[in-house]
């Protein structure tokens, strides 16, 4: 049987389902979790479907189910755990204990670096987002039951569509990154048929910045350093600076993209100190460099052109280690 239909079969058999995503959840993580939860609640009103995510940013508060997201671990037991957009089990972070004590676990993802930690794993590295994979999985099941895509879209309505759409725009940079496929745009076309306020969704969740976020971005750009003949650019934020601006990691969205689009840059790196001498590393590449390979080497993961990891040491150590590996790919 098709793997997607096998997943749908397992989901339909479970009565109590937990859905979890990765640490510091982004738009795709939140969008895919809520789209799946809301779909399951609508299709199977008797099922209990709970979402577990680290406190999500309030910019996503327009999504249905946002206020019911569990941000702390509970003692509840589930028949099935669905891990979304999480390439390794430690990425589930606080919901990891629930994952481990649940008998059946399934993972739905689009990270090529997925470690196949669940009982069964569905990874489509060529999909723009986990939201796209979830959409295709649900659609396949509905088609099996005789519905057309148009009929299904009309049935899911604008609330579920908004969650899928949020996932798509966040992982594609509003349909701009190279992971955007003709199919991604076809799905977006279907979603806007439901009447979602897409302009508002894009502005509110993607482009709008607070004054503090804009100041930090300015500071990062001002203090950025180019190395390797301008092919690599990096910027680092210390805990001290973060504290000075009263900022947290969710305030850094968009900075790395601004570094990446600088003329001549092949790889952009943003370091953000999460503990003393421990950095969350974000990397983006423009053309040939596979930053995922570098991230995996340091225990992280991601995609060819967008990846991340956590590294210890001074900014100098971290950049030296990263550029050492990047150089090998740029010769
Ligand atoms: P970020 O730079 O945090 O926006 O992440 C870019 C991509 O790499 C996303 O798809 C993340 O899911 C993935 N990623 C970031 N950090 C890690 C990590 N420590 N381990 C595995 N994947 C990561
Ligand atoms: Mn994600
Ligand atoms: Mn994703």
């Amino acid at each position: 049987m098709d793997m997607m239909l096998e997943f749908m079969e397992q989901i339909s058999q479970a009565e109590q389902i937990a859905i979890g995503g990765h640490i510091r959840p982004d738009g795709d993580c939140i969008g895919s979790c809520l789209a799946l939860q809301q779909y399951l609640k609508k299709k199977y009103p008797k099922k209990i479907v709970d979402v577990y995510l680290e406190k999500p940013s309030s910019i996503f508060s327009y999504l249905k189910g946002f206020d019911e997201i569990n941000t702390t671990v509970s003692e509840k037991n589930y028949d099935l755990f669905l891990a979304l957009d999480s390439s390794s089990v430690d990425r589930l972070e606080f919901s990891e204990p629930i994952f481990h004590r649940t008998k059946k676990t399934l993972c739905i993802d689009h990270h090529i670096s997925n470690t196949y930690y669940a009982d069964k794993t569905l990874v489509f590295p060529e999909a723009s987002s986990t939201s796209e994979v979830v959409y295709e999985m649900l659609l396949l099941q509905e088609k099996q039951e005789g519905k057309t895509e148009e009929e299904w879209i009309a049935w899911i309505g604008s609330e579920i569509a908004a969650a899928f759409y949020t996932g798509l725009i966040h992982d594609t940079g509003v349909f701009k990154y190279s992971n955007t496929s003709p199919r991604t745009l076809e799905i977006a076309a279907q979603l806007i048929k439901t009447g979602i306020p897409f302009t508002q969704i894009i502005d509110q969740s993607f482009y709008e910045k607070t004054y503090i976020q804009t100041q930090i971005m300015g500071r990062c750009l001002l203090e950025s350093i180019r190395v390797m003949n301008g092919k690599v650019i990096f910027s680092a934020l210390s805990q001290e600076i973060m504290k000075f601006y009263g900022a947290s990691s969710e305030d850094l969205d968009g900075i790395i993209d601004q570094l990446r689009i600088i003329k001549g840059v092949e790889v952009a790196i943003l370091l953000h100190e999460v503990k003393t001498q421990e950095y969350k590393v974000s990397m983006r590449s423009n053309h040939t460099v596979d930053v995922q390979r570098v991230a995996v080497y340091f225990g992280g993961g991601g995609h060819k052109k967008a990846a991340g990891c956590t590294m210890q040491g001074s900014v100098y150590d971290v950049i030296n280690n990263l550029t050492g590996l990047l150089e090998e790919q740029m010769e």
Side-chain angles (χ1 to χ4, degrees):
M1 203 200 316
D2 185 286
M3 184 91 151
M4 280 183 166
L5 294 176
E6 202 179 314
F7 268 47
M8 289 310 295
E9 175 71 22
Q10 293 222 16
I11 292 169
S12 74
Q13 283 169 8
E15 277 167 22
Q16 311 211 37
I17 300 172
I19 300 177
H22 62 76
I23 176 175
R24 291 186 285 266
D26 52 23
D28 180 34
C29 183
I30 299 165
S32 59
C33 287
L34 290 180
L36 182 56
Q37 180 204 33
Q38 295 302 318
Y39 165 88
L40 291 175
K41 283 185 161 227
K42 191 164 183 164
K43 185 156 172 101
Y44 308 102
K46 285 190 183 142
K47 282 193 202 306
I48 288 174
V49 190
D50 296 336
V51 171
Y52 288 85
L53 288 174
E54 190 186 7
K55 196 177 180 312
S57 165
S58 61
I59 58 172
F60 299 110
S61 61
Y62 58 88
L63 292 174
K64 185 157 190 234
F66 181 87
D67 293 333
E68 286 83 54
I69 292 173
N70 294 281
T71 56
T72 51
V73 72
S74 79
E75 296 301 312
K76 271 168 90 172
N77 286 313
Y78 296 92
D79 307 322
L80 181 66
F81 189 102
L82 296 164
L84 267 52
D85 202 38
S86 303
S87 55
S88 57
V89 73
D90 56 302
R91 299 268 297 154
L92 291 173
E93 214 237 356
F94 81 95
S95 65
E96 215 186 316
I98 307 176
F99 173 90
H100 287 301
R101 69 165 186 264
T102 307
K103 263 214 184 99
K104 284 187 183 156
T105 59
L106 300 175
C107 175
I108 305 169
D109 192 17
H110 68 128
H111 291 95
I112 194 160
S113 55
N114 193 289
T115 59
Y116 289 77
Y117 56 92
D119 295 339
K120 289 205 171 108
T121 302
L122 196 58
V123 188
F124 282 87
E126 66 287 355
S128 67
S129 51
T130 297
S131 300
E132 186 173 323
V133 182
V134 171
Y135 180 97
E136 297 286 35
M137 180 181 80
L138 302 183
L139 175 62
L140 187 68
Q141 176 64 35
E142 295 289 343
K143 279 187 170 167
Q144 202 75 4
E145 294 173 19
K147 270 206 182 95
T148 64
E149 188 165 9
E150 275 72 18
E151 285 166 349
W152 179 58
I153 277 293
W155 179 83
I156 65 169
S158 62
E159 287 168 336
I160 297 172
F164 280 126
Y165 194 81
T166 298
L168 296 190
I169 60 164
H170 276 263
D171 266 22
T172 61
V174 194
F175 310 115
K176 178 178 72 169
Y177 304 150
S178 58
N179 59 354
T180 308
S181 71
R183 182 61 188 148
T184 313
L185 295 171
E186 276 167 16
I187 294 172
Q190 295 292 346
L191 295 172
I192 67 172
K193 287 181 189 169
T194 65
I196 50 169
F198 56 87
T199 306
Q200 213 174 308
I201 292 174
I202 292 171
D203 277 342
Q204 181 182 339
S205 77
F206 198 84
Y207 287 110
E208 197 176 271
K209 297 265 171 268
T210 62
Y211 183 59
I212 282 178
Q213 287 165 347
T214 310
Q215 280 192 308
I216 296 183
M217 183 184 286
R219 181 143 186 165
C220 278
L221 300 179
L222 201 63
E223 296 190 345
S224 63
I225 295 173
R226 288 189 293 174
V227 291
M228 294 169 69
N229 286 327
K231 284 192 196 139
V232 174
I233 190 161
F234 72 89
S235 201
L237 280 163
S238 65
Q239 277 184 309
E240 229 179 333
I241 295 290
M242 294 290 286
K243 211 187 265 166
F244 175 78
Y245 288 105
S248 60
S249 59
E250 69 189 48
D251 294 315
L252 310 180
D253 282 359
I255 296 177
I256 190 140
D257 228 31
Q258 210 58 47
L259 292 170
R260 180 187 64 83
I261 59 175
I262 292 169
K263 202 164 180 181
V265 165
E266 168 60 19
V267 175
I269 305 171
L270 183 66
L271 306 184
H272 151 221
E273 194 181 27
V274 282
K275 280 185 213 149
T276 306
Q277 300 251 314
E278 182 176 310
Y279 289 89
K280 160 83 184 80
V281 178
S282 280
M283 288 182 284
R284 300 290 184 270
S285 92
N286 275 322
H287 305 291
T288 54
V289 174
D290 183 349
V291 286
Q292 182 260 162
R293 253 168 60 194
V294 178
V296 166
Y297 183 86
F298 294 110
H303 316 280
K304 186 180 175 199
K305 293 182 176 177
C309 56
T310 301
M311 290 170 73
Q312 323 275 340
S314 65
V315 170
Y316 179 82
D317 294 334
V318 170
I319 291 298
N320 249 344
N321 284 326
L322 291 171
T323 50
L325 281 190
L326 289 170
E327 232 159 12
E328 286 175 17
Q329 289 194 46
M330 287 192 196
E331 275 159 2

